[in-house]
Amino acid sequence: MIKIYGPKQSSASRCMWLLEEAGIEYENVNVDMGKGEHKSPEYMALNPNGKVPTLVDGDFVLWESVAIMNYLVEKYAPQFGGATVEERALVNQWSLWSVIHLYHPFSTLFLQKWRNTPDSEATIAAHEELPKWLGILNAALEGKEFLVAGRFTVADLTAASVVARAEFVGVDLTIYPALHAWLTAVMARPALVKLQA
Ligand SMILES: N[C@@H](CCC(=O)N[C@@H](CS)C(=O)NCC(=O)O)C(=O)O
């Protein structure tokens, strides 16, 4: 059975969300990050970055959440990828953009929130950076239900899994109407509701 290492509250969640969408059985292996288990020699043997998620599928080991989702789509769930080379490229574009650009300020705000340092330079810089990325996402969603191919793909899943932190870190998304409407709809998907239960 496919194993996903990492807690539901981490980047591992996007891989599990996809598996739930596809109705694929998997095991979520607990990695207690509070106890530093992601830095243990056993875990680092699977993922030398000491980060979650990691996928184990039989003898095959893979890390980096976008690579994991691309693998799952190609092998088990093509309905959540693009149907053409161009669609697949666009799905990959949004997935990579989400974890590279969008994720960065959100993860900063997330950490700063835990550290309770709302006035730190890093917090202020993240708040200054975010409108650029959120504006790009909002513009891409204007007049559209989904990012690519007119249907829900891992592009939506990956972007939503990052933006979902907005309320928690004090970012108001209502000023981005298209983004806000899209996120509200995507977050209500039964597979995600089941995962979060
Ligand atoms: N680019 C990686 C990022 C993974 C990542 O940063 N994971 C965080 C949890 S959301 C982590 O393991 N942090 C622990 C650390 O950096 O020590 C991916 O998308 O898989």
Side-chain angles (χ1 to χ4, degrees):
M1 190 190 298
I2 293 170
K3 292 181 182 170
I4 300 289
Y5 288 72
K8 276 186 191 175
Q9 300 75 15
S10 73
S11 298
S13 69
R14 60 179 76 103
C15 303
M16 292 187 263
W17 182 2
L18 175 58
L19 287 160
E20 294 285 352
E21 290 280 353
I24 297 168
E25 259 192 88
Y26 64 96
E27 181 189 344
N28 180 208
V29 182
N30 189 36
V31 179
D32 190 335
M33 298 179 76
K35 288 189 182 150
E37 280 178 14
H38 55 308
K39 307 293 181 195
S40 68
E42 296 78 21
Y43 184 74
M44 300 270 287
L46 290 175
N47 184 336
N49 303 289
K51 290 179 187 284
V52 297
T54 302
L55 166 142
V56 176
D57 187 6
D59 293 338
F60 184 60
V61 179
L62 189 64
W63 36 262
E64 280 298 327
S65 61
V66 171
I68 292 171
M69 289 188 295
N70 285 345
Y71 167 79
L72 292 171
V73 164
E74 195 171 330
K75 191 159 182 183
Y76 301 108
Q79 68 274 31
F80 295 106
T84 62
V85 172
E86 288 78 13
E87 280 183 4
R88 283 194 286 280
L90 286 170
V91 167
N92 210 22
Q93 167 194 280
W94 284 113
S95 298
L96 289 171
W97 176 86
S98 299
V99 296
I100 294 169
H101 295 303
L102 198 55
Y103 178 78
H104 177 256
F106 273 117
S107 77
T108 302
L109 292 179
F110 196 70
L111 280 179
Q112 300 291 322
K113 178 147 176 142
W114 283 117
R115 290 176 186 150
N116 198 17
T117 51
D119 300 322
S120 74
E121 267 180 41
T123 305
I124 293 162
H127 277 297
E128 281 172 2
E129 184 188 347
L130 260 178
K132 175 179 174 181
W133 309 124
L134 295 174
I136 290 171
L137 188 56
N138 187 62
L141 287 162
E142 264 161 19
K144 282 162 70 180
E145 210 179 331
F146 300 108
L147 280 168
V148 182
R151 60 190 165 80
F152 181 79
T153 66
V154 285
D156 301 288
L157 190 157
T158 309
S161 70
V162 176
V163 184
R165 293 169 178 230
E167 202 179 322
F168 181 73
V169 297
V171 172
D172 178 17
L173 291 181
T174 58
I175 58 169
Y176 304 98
L179 194 171
H180 188 251
W182 160 85
L183 186 66
T184 305
V186 164
M187 297 299 288
R189 291 180 68 86
L192 182 61
V193 173
K194 183 177 167 223
L195 178 65
Q196 289 175 332

